[in-house]
Amino acid sequence: MNAYDVIIAGLGTVGSATAMELARRGHSVIGLDAFRPPHNRGSHHGQSRSIRRAYLEGTGYVPMALRAWELWRRLERDTGTSLLVSTGNLTIGLPDGPALKGFLGSARTGNIPHHALTAAEVRKRWPQLAPSDALAAGLEVEAGLLFPELSITTLLNESERAGAVLRFDERVEHWSKHGDRIRVHTTRETLEGGSLLLAAGARNKSLLGILGDRLSPKRVPVHWVAPPSEKAFELGNFPVNFWQLPAFEIESNTQYAELYSLPVIGSGGCVKVAAHNNLSDCDPEAPVRFVTPEEVADIRSFLGNFIPTLANCTIDSDVCLYTQTPDGEFLLGALPGYDNVFTAALAGHGFKFAPVLGEVLADLIAGTEPAFDVSRFSPARTV
Ligand SMILES: Cc1cc2nc3c(=O)[nH]c(=O)nc-3n(C[C@H](O)[C@H](O)[C@H](O)COP(=O)(O)OP(=O)(O)OC[C@H]3O[C@@H](n4cnc5c(N)ncnc54)[C@H](O)[C@@H]3O)c2cc1C
């Protein structure tokens, strides 16, 4: 039986970043993936991921967001690859709503360059966007996009370069504890490791035992809208825009509907538009990939009101997965009752943090204190 310091189940966002970090620190690592990342069967496909540091989800994320930015830039320098581009990021919502309050609190805490804007100022600067006068916005000036497929390829290449063994098209079926060692049973063989990281994204649900009940895989329809003219929607001309809309602005099952759009990348590209909440549960092994006419109609209605030049454009749709947690916070750390089995579930907003999560998980796996307080993400927390 082959033995390693650490076995990683899943080589997507978190798995690839942690494999790189552990291998660079000299640990013997094997990573296994059911497919061959990057691919479109998990949570990391679709050309772009927003990266921002004025974190509307809470000031607690800001130190990690700052470090993640630094580490993406370092990875770019290490590999001569462009992974992160700035285009600005607008958070749009009620002036006293949770999104804008969270944005401004984090921007001030982290001393992150930003501006508070009225709806009229947004419409003047970006005539593509049409927030009503009831709304306001926060602009994070330097925020932008990551290229997820290239990022994962880069992280995997660096992992291998640092000595990690990577195996693809090999699924982890289950695992068991033997004394202080962990055995991992794959579709090909049984491996033994000192520690195990379960980084299988939405499919962690079936690998986490009882803790898996806390994860809700969500189906995320993603819409690609062909703009009438690319120029106004290109990187640099069009910011990432996240909308937290109250019921009087849009029909919603929740107090606020959250939607966003991301700029066109490259020539012939499309604007990417999706909802961030009110998503349906799915079986991560077989999510329904068909996007219904009603789902497309909902997006057209959002566009008609808030990005009107896109309302009647051609739309192609696709499906991606979130691994939602009950409180929307990450689940990160050792499984309750185990000191050498770890997991990460990123609740639909984790891509930007990949390299810092690699550092944090490498610390936790090595038994050292991470540089950030991640106790609020503990899988043992009661939610
Ligand atoms: C539409 C969409 C938009 C998003 N936008 C943003 C954004 O703008 N900014 C942001 O920061 N985040 C964003 N996110 C969230 C972010 O992409 C995810 O949080 C992140 O990619 C999750 O990483 P992961 O490693 O958990 O999962 P993945 O990257 O999916 O990796 C899991 C890997 O595990 C493998 N696997 C599964 N089962 C097994 C098994 N049994 N054995 C071995 N391998 C297995 C899979 O093949 C996969 O490669 C978005 C997500 C979606 C869906």
Side-chain angles (χ1 to χ4, degrees), residues 12-14 33-35 39 43-44 49-50 172 200 320 350-352:
T13 312
V14 172
D33 201 285
F35 304 105
H39 58 70
S43 301
H44 58 248
R49 288 293 181 272
S50 137
V172 170
C320 194
F351 196 91
K352 61 185 82 59

Side-chain angles (χ1 to χ4, degrees), residues 2 16 27 62 76 80 118 134 145 156 182 212 246 279 281 326 349 357:
N2 280 321
S16 62
H27 298 278
V62 173
E76 288 184 309
T118 63
L145 294 181
L156 291 175
I182 302 296
L279 301 164
D281 289 327
H349 59 110
L357 296 177

